[in-house]
Amino acid sequence: MELLSVLAFPLLGGILLGVFGHRRWAPELNAAMSLATLLAAGALTVRVIEEGPTTVLEEQFFVDPFNVFLVALTAFVGFTTALFSRPYMRTEEHAGRLSAGRLRLYHSMYQLFSFTMLLCLLTNNVGILWVAMEGATLSTVLLVSLYRTPQSLEAAWKYFILCGVGIAQALFGTILLYFAAEKVLGAGGTALLWTHLHEVRGELEPTVVSLAFVFLLVGYGTKVGLVPLHNWLPDAHAEGPTPVSAVLSGLLLNVALYAVVRSKVLVDGALETGFSGNLMMGFGLLSVVVAAFFLSRQRDVKRMFAYSSIEHMGIMTFAFGMGGPVAAFAGLLHMTVHSLTKSAIFFTVGHAAHATGTQSMDAIRGLIRQSPTIGWGLALGSIAILGMPPFGVFTSEFMVLTTAMHEHSWATPFLLVALGVAFAAVFGKVQPMIFGETTARPLPHPPALVPVFVHLAVVLMLGLYIPPYLVDWYRQAAALIG
């Protein structure tokens, strides 16, 4: 029941906001539906911890420690982003950038986007996973193009075309996976279910499964933003509304990586070699290095943090590619802290852009004087995402680096250089934004900064102390995928 509730609330929210999304109280309704989703996800999490994995509706949906962890994270960030978007979207309406019709589109698509992401995570059917991923693409295309400027339309079109091509590759990979499973499980729906595929993964045809994984990695890797499939991501982040940037960077990339990791488990069982892991490590390391060097060339603050997302998704992909319990644990922890930190950064960046009237880093100065909370939020968020102790990003990156030193020492210099370049680029650009003479103006609506400091407080806690129940949760999930 809890599982279906997690899906029902955002779907109901999308329908209600499709009708009432232009009303003055629509932002509150959006936040209320996101809160209901979060409470349902919390109840589902408690049930999984107490009773273990479960399936519903003739095994079409399932939940285990790996995907329930991502469901809880998605619901939490979805709720805090809905809180942030209340004053943000009202300021956009006050400035004349959005009409009542566009606000209705935003609120309804926000809930539909949450629904499709949760459907991706909770479905047991690889075909439904593909459909839900395509649904997430279509809903975010509408969100990225919300302002209807030439730049936002171009970004949405690029996003649609590149991710459409990628999702077509993933469809071919799904067909090949079914082709391999059909010989073992027989024709029918069971050959598309993760749980059944997992049970017979050692009997799957190795050649077909390895070819399927290549297409799945390229297809879903496009959604992850892995280099060289990343070109849509900086534009989509820069031109869409800031709440959309927060959920794209903090949630959608995780969901796409989830699909890749689930596929990797099947391939590892079929091949019993490092084929899938080596591919993921290669794409991950390339993404980290290329994104780090692109960071220093950025002038738009949202584009800069978009490239930072590519870098961190590369770190996660590399960690999951290495495999093993420690690397998988580090990858899961990095998923958590990156989602929380990056969404907090986009919250502060959105308010900073409102206060200064621009996203150009050269024109944003003295945030800490105009609004100490915005300035400190951006400062602490930037320090956290750069991997400075005692924040949780340092802990997860340290675990990835030490595991790489032990098992793949050739990759360690590339990782260290990339992290150093990224640190210098981001720190050098953020510092003058926070300090110096300000030209910012007061905001027409008080900024929602509680989500910023809640996110950063959790990230700080995970750097200093991970509660035992959370450690057990990560270990169970790491055992499933490691």
Side-chain angles (χ1 to χ4, degrees):
M1 185 62 187
E2 293 90 348
L3 189 154
L4 297 179
S5 298
V6 172
L7 297 173
F9 282 122
L11 183 59
L12 176 62
I15 295 170
L16 289 174
L17 286 160
V19 178
F20 302 111
H22 60 291
R23 301 292 180 87
R24 291 297 299 170
W25 40 266
E28 284 70 29
L29 177 60
N30 187 40
M33 297 309 297
S34 298
L35 176 60
T37 305
L38 174 60
L39 294 176
L44 180 64
T45 302
V46 171
R47 180 177 176 182
V48 171
I49 290 172
E50 291 178 352
E51 302 178 12
T54 184
T55 59
V56 298
L57 287 185
E58 299 180 346
E59 298 185 294
Q60 291 303 306
F61 298 95
F62 87 117
V63 63
D64 63 14
F66 179 32
N67 64 353
V68 80
F69 144 72
L70 285 170
V71 166
L73 181 62
T74 300
F76 178 71
V77 176
F79 170 60
T80 55
T81 306
L83 290 180
F84 158 74
S85 73
R86 289 171 59 245
Y88 183 89
M89 300 311 287
R90 283 190 168 128
T91 302
E92 294 290 79
E93 186 181 21
H94 183 269
R97 299 187 70 189
L98 291 176
S99 62
R102 300 265 178 84
L103 284 173
R104 180 168 58 189
L105 177 65
Y106 166 78
H107 289 123
S108 59
M109 286 302 106
Y110 183 89
Q111 288 295 320
L112 188 61
F113 177 55
S114 298
F115 168 74
T116 52
M117 285 193 296
L118 292 167
L119 182 59
C120 286
L121 295 172
L122 290 171
T123 183
N124 193 21
N125 189 308
V126 294
I128 296 176
L129 168 69
W130 182 88
V131 172
M133 198 73 76
E134 180 70 357
T137 301
L138 295 175
S139 59
T140 40
V141 164
L142 295 172
L143 289 169
V144 169
S145 65
L146 192 68
Y147 293 130
R148 299 295 191 272
T149 62
Q151 294 82 3
S152 66
L153 290 172
E154 181 186 350
W157 181 248
K158 185 185 289 187
Y159 174 54
F160 176 71
I161 293 298
L162 290 177
C163 289
V165 172
I167 213 77
Q169 307 296 315
L171 176 61
F172 189 61
T174 303
I175 292 169
L176 287 174
L177 191 60
Y178 175 79
F179 178 72
E182 185 188 20
K183 295 181 181 301
V184 180
L185 295 168
T190 57
L192 286 171
L193 302 182
W194 285 121
T195 47
H196 288 258
L197 289 167
H198 190 267
E199 290 172 0
V200 300
R201 63 191 187 280
E203 304 172 45
L204 300 176
E205 172 60 41
T207 305
V208 178
V209 171
S210 58
L211 186 59
F213 181 75
V214 171
F215 282 99
L216 290 168
L217 177 60
V218 171
Y220 291 131
T222 305
K223 299 282 287 186
V224 177
L226 298 176
V227 174
L229 315 165
H230 68 287
N231 290 316
W232 64 270
L233 196 150
D235 289 342
H237 281 63
E239 301 303 333
T242 301
V244 177
S245 303
V247 290
L248 271 177
S249 191
L251 300 179
L252 181 63
L253 308 187
N254 286 351
V255 173
L257 185 57
Y258 161 83
V260 174
V261 174
R262 284 282 190 203
S263 304
K264 176 183 181 293
V265 173
L266 301 180
V267 178
D268 288 346
L271 299 184
E272 297 183 354
T273 66
F275 171 76
S276 61
N278 290 336
L279 270 179
M280 289 181 69
M281 283 194 294
F283 273 103
L285 196 59
L286 180 64
S287 301
V288 174
V289 173
V290 171
F293 282 95
F294 267 106
L295 279 168
S296 61
R297 300 178 55 189
Q298 302 311 308
R299 296 291 179 266
D300 183 295
V301 63
K302 287 172 70 176
R303 285 183 71 89
M304 180 179 74
F305 285 114
Y307 275 104
S308 173
S309 295
I310 295 171
E311 177 206 2
H312 286 279
M313 295 313 295
I315 291 172
M316 291 176 223
T317 305
F318 181 83
F320 289 126
M322 284 193 292
V326 177
F329 186 102
L332 293 169
L333 178 60
H334 201 73
M335 260 187 179
T336 308
V337 293
H338 173 259
S339 293
L340 295 172
T341 308
K342 191 56 64 64
S343 52
I345 287 172
F346 276 116
F347 296 164
T348 60
V349 164
H351 288 314
H354 275 167
T356 56
T358 180
Q359 292 177 192
S360 171
M361 288 182 281
D362 294 334
I364 301 176
R365 291 290 184 269
L367 289 175
I368 209 161
R369 295 190 181 188
Q370 191 269 340
S371 175
T373 49
I374 293 176
W376 278 112
L378 181 58
L380 293 173
S382 300
I383 290 171
I385 204 66
L386 290 172
M388 290 289 285
F391 289 97
V393 181
F394 168 79
T395 306
S396 57
E397 287 184 351
F398 182 80
M399 292 174 71
V400 172
L401 279 169
T402 51
T403 307
M405 288 177 186
H406 185 258
E407 298 180 9
H408 304 279
S409 55
W410 58 270
T412 310
F414 295 101
L415 287 171
L416 287 172
V417 169
L419 291 173
V421 170
F423 182 94
V426 174
F427 191 79
K429 290 178 180 295
V430 167
Q431 190 175 1
M433 292 170 59
I434 298 168
F435 303 102
E437 295 300 323
T438 180
T439 57
R441 59 183 184 273
L443 294 171
H445 297 279
L449 290 169
V450 171
V452 174
F453 293 101
V454 169
H455 283 206
L456 294 178
V458 174
V459 174
L460 178 62
M461 181 197 75
L462 292 176
L464 296 171
Y465 170 74
I466 305 177
Y469 69 87
L470 199 55
V471 172
D472 291 339
W473 192 8
Y474 282 142
R475 282 177 176 164
Q476 289 178 43
L480 289 172
I481 60 177

